Structure formats: structure tokens, C-alpha cells
Amino acid sequence: MKILFVTSEVYPLIKTGGLADVSYSLPKALKKLHQDIRLVLPAYASVLERLKTIETIATVEVTAYSKPVHILRSKLEGMPIYLIEATDYFQRPGHPYIHPQGHDWPDNAQRFATFCRAVIKLGQDPLNLNWQPDIVHCNDWQTGLIPALLSQQAQRPATLFTIHNLAYQGLFPYHQFYELQLPNELWSMHGLEFYGQMSFIKGGLYFADHMTTVSPSYAREIKTNEFAYGLEGLLKTRSPQLTGILNGIDTQVWNPKTDSYINKNYDEKRLHKKTNKQQLQQKMQLPVEPNTLLFAYIGRLVAQKGVDLILNSLEQLMAYPIQFVILGSGEAELEQQLTQAQQSYPQQMAIHLAYDEALSHQIEASADVFLMPSRYEPCGLNQLYSLRYGTIPIVRRTGGLMDTVVEATTRNIIQHKATGFLFDEANVMDFTHACLQAIDYYYHKPKIWRQLIRTAMQEDFSWQISAKEYLQLYQSIKK
Ligand code: ADP
């Protein structure tokens, strides 16, 4: 099967979140299943710097009104990768979607419309590459126009659209639809229009042959008004074409036995987390106390992730002998509140407000508990990395979190199934209660704690099973 995997970020070239990890590890797993899969990505400045051999294979006109776009070809660890080079749109430093001042790049509609149009050209093979995809696999709103535009063609590849996060929809005012000179027929509630605005994600949700989300529970949740932001009607109607497939993790990149970022490698038999913890405490200027329970948070600092619950639980939790390490970047207000909290508890709390891949591995290898109090979570990867690193997750019962963490109930503990702690409501009381439970187990039930770690580390979240599910789906929609 020939698959074109379209994404706006891929690890290790450019990453803002889980999408980049999936765009790296899912194609790799499909390649192992002997599929002819190729990636296509915007040619951001940082990507061009990181790839070694790059050749220009074509120059295409995407619209009559815009500058021609170059299609480049390279390889990422043996995987063919195409890059869409539109210099005005992608040759800029910094974040792929957000301006340094914190707002979206004002030309995001033009940027990703150009990207989508160029991808369609690539799929049509006007370049005589002798390669036409059977499947175009699109991911998130940045690629949403592709299924919409392809739907207007008689002969076209099948399209799959994966929703990694329904909250990000690519909404733009009508005048941008007009300026982009998109086909008029697409301006309809049975198309890209969403309450008077243009919605890129609707292009995927309405027109793709099939849709997936990144966990079964999130697939159910987005058909309810609590999680769907007004898109529940469309998603309910298209329910037969919506499947939840759990994300996997790259078990080579995230392997405590071989991880080169961490100080002391380990496995479930020889657990060296305390040695790593000492190193981390030193590095983060916390008192070096290997026996003290260390809580960790890594992730984007946004309301979705429930960072406010962590902040508001500190007063109660800090009475216990515990430490916190927090790594993240995001909303200015949350960054400021975390800085204040760190100043209030300098002996117990360390923060690093940045994006730091190496430190994220070191934290996973050192911490005892990983906090993920997300308000919603399509899949979540950090709880999976945590399980693999024997860092017991505390998660809210939502989306992919509840599909992957097994609650430490008495029955689950007896059956050696438990791997973490869950709580129901996104409020401080429920969250604090789960943290207190973890503190109690860590200090007073060390045997059970050790068992939780062992069970967690033995879980298999590799891509093996999920990649096969994607393959079956591709086969079922192939034209
Ligand atoms: P989301 O995609 O919503 O951000 P996920 O849990 O699916 O959440 O994926 C987040 C990914 O980004 C993980 O690989 C996580 O380790 C990484 N990450 C997020 N913030 C940071 C950071 N500040 N430093 C290093 N890695 C980070």
C-alpha cells in the first residue's frame, strides 16, 4: 500500500506536542509492516537545518495568485520525506503555529492552505515520480483542506483524517476563505463553514473517507457536547466512519534500559530510579533526598492540562515530605503562577519553563509519580512514557488516560493489574485526594508501590497492535 502521511510536525525535526511523536513512530511501525509510506511536512527553517541531503524535485504553481512552491525530497532515518518549501510562509524562526508574541501567526490560513494545495499536487503525480498514493493520511486542522479539495476530484486517493486534538480547529474569518479562492461549493454548513467562519478541521471531518481519534474513549467523548465544541452533530452523523485507535510509543526512543539522556539506565529488575533522582535533584537545585517522593509534570502549560489543579493543591500537599519538578512552557499566566509557587516553596519545588527533550527523559527516569490532571486528553503520551519508566501516573478519568492507566483499587492490586491512580472530577479536592493516596502508598505500602512499578513497566504500549489497526483501516477505504 502506498501511503502519504501528511503532518505539520514530526519528531525529531520539529515538535510542539504528541502529534510530532506519532508522526515519527506510526509511519516507522507501518514501514516495518512492509508498507510504502512517505511523509510530507512544511519546509520550516529548522527542518531544513536538520536534514542532511535535500534535493529539489519539482516546482509547482499552487494557485494563480501565489508564488510557485518547491517540493523537496529527503530521508528521515531511511523514511522518504517530502518538504513543501514556500519560503514566505515557512522560512521563519520559532514556533510553527505561534508568533513570538504569543498569538497565532496572522497568515496561518495562507500558510496551511498553501501546504495542503501543494500536497494535493504531490499526490496527483504531476511530477512523474511514478508514485501515487493509495491513501492520504491527514492529521489535525493544518491538513484539513486536503480531504475537502480532493473530494472534488473524480479520480483520487482515499483519505483518512486523524483528530489528535479537536480543540484546535483552524478557524478563520470568511474573508480569508474568499482571499484563498477556495471553491465556492465548499462554503456551506455541509462543507467548511462553521457558524459563519471557515473551519479547516471541518474539511477533514466532513470530507475524509474515514476518521480516527487517538483513543477509543476520546472517540466516544467527541460525540458529546462537553468535548465537541459544537461539532458533536457532525461527528455523531459520521459515527460509522469514526474509529478510536490508541496511540503507541516509540519503544526505542523511550527505553530506560538504553536511554542515552539519562544518568543510569535501568529495567524493572534493577531499578535505579533513586540514583537518577539524586542527579536530577542536584541539577534542579532541590535538596538531594533520594527517598523523598518526587512528583513530576511535563507538558504544555495550557488550561487543558489542568496545571491550575496542581497549583491549587500545593498548599495542602506541601505539608507532606514531597518535592515537585515541573517542565513546561505555554500560557504566560500559568508560567507566572508557577514561578511564584516555586518562590514560595524553594525547598520543595523546581521548575524549568522551556522545551527540553533531554530533561524530559531525565525527569521520567527520576520521578516517582507523574501528574496528568487533564480536563480532556485525546490520548496523552506522557502517561505512557511514565508507565514504561516506572513513574506511577496520577490521571483524570478521561480520554486516552482512562484507556491506559489501570486504577489502584484493591481488586486491581490483588490481581497485579494496577498501574496508577485515577480521579473523576477536574477539581482540587478530587485531584488532591489522588495525590494523598499516592503519598500513602509510597511511604506506607512500599511492597505494593514496588508492584505498581513492576506492573507498569511490563505493559506493552508499542505500536505493534495499533499500526495493524491502521493498516486494516487503510485496506478498508482504499479505492
Ligand atoms: P500534547 O500533544 O497535548 O501536548 P501529549 O502527552 O500527547 O500532549 O504529548 C506531549 C509530548 O510533548 C510528549 O512527548 C512530551 O514529553 C512533550 N513535551 C511537552 N512539553 C515539553 C517540554 N516542555 N519539554 C520537553 N518535552 C515536552
Side-chain angles (χ1 to χ4, degrees), residues 251-435:
T251 48
Q252 276 175 312
V253 176
W254 292 93
N255 183 353
K257 254 192 220 178
T258 53
D259 191 331
S260 57
Y261 287 125
I262 69 180
N263 190 256
K264 185 121 178 112
N265 291 112
Y266 63 95
D267 56 28
E268 73 254 30
K269 292 198 193 82
R270 286 150 302 161
L271 200 69
H272 296 302
K273 285 182 76 84
K274 283 191 181 166
T275 316
N276 289 317
K277 195 197 283 186
Q278 277 174 308
Q279 287 278 329
L280 183 75
Q281 286 168 326
Q282 215 157 22
K283 181 170 176 171
M284 302 296 285
Q285 294 174 348
L286 283 169
V288 179
E289 297 166 1
N291 294 320
T292 297
L293 170 53
L294 179 62
F295 283 100
Y297 173 86
I298 303 168
R300 293 179 298 120
L301 300 175
V302 292
Q304 174 201 339
K305 300 287 179 183
V307 185
D308 55 311
L309 299 181
I310 301 179
L311 281 160
N312 293 323
S313 68
L314 292 179
E315 202 179 326
Q316 205 180 336
L317 292 178
M318 288 305 200
Y320 294 84
I322 57 170
Q323 295 178 345
F324 280 82
V325 170
I326 292 179
L327 166 64
S329 59
E331 288 167 12
E333 199 177 319
L334 285 171
E335 291 196 356
Q336 199 188 341
Q337 287 171 3
L338 283 168
T339 307
Q340 273 169 6
Q342 195 278 327
Q343 285 161 356
S344 307
Y345 304 103
Q347 296 295 306
Q348 286 179 281
M349 188 157 181
I351 61 169
H352 189 60
L353 300 177
Y355 187 91
D356 190 331
E357 194 76 31
L359 185 58
S360 75
H361 286 246
Q362 289 153 10
I363 292 174
E364 287 288 9
S366 311
D368 300 293
V369 169
F370 195 89
L371 303 173
M372 246 169 131
S374 307
R375 295 205 148 70
Y376 69 93
E377 195 56 78
C379 177
L381 292 173
N382 266 315
Q383 85 280 14
L384 303 180
Y385 302 146
S386 300
L387 291 168
R388 188 153 166 82
Y389 279 61
T391 310
I392 301 306
I394 295 181
V395 303
R396 195 163 100 75
R397 205 183 308 279
T398 184
L401 298 175
M402 68 173 166
D403 290 348
T404 53
V405 180
V406 182
E407 188 171 15
T409 58
T410 312
R411 175 193 274 250
N412 286 338
I413 291 171
I414 291 170
Q415 296 182 341
H416 288 240
K417 286 183 181 160
T419 58
F421 299 89
L422 283 94
F423 65 98
D424 286 306
E425 298 300 324
N427 63 43
V428 180
M429 202 174 78
D430 278 22
F431 172 65
T432 310
H433 177 76
C435 293

Side-chain angles (χ1 to χ4, degrees), residues 213-220 243-247 377-379 399-400 403:
T213 65
V214 288
S215 71
S217 287
Y218 193 59
R220 280 192 299 277
T243 312
I245 302 180
L246 200 61
N247 277 341
E377 195 56 78
C379 177
D403 290 348

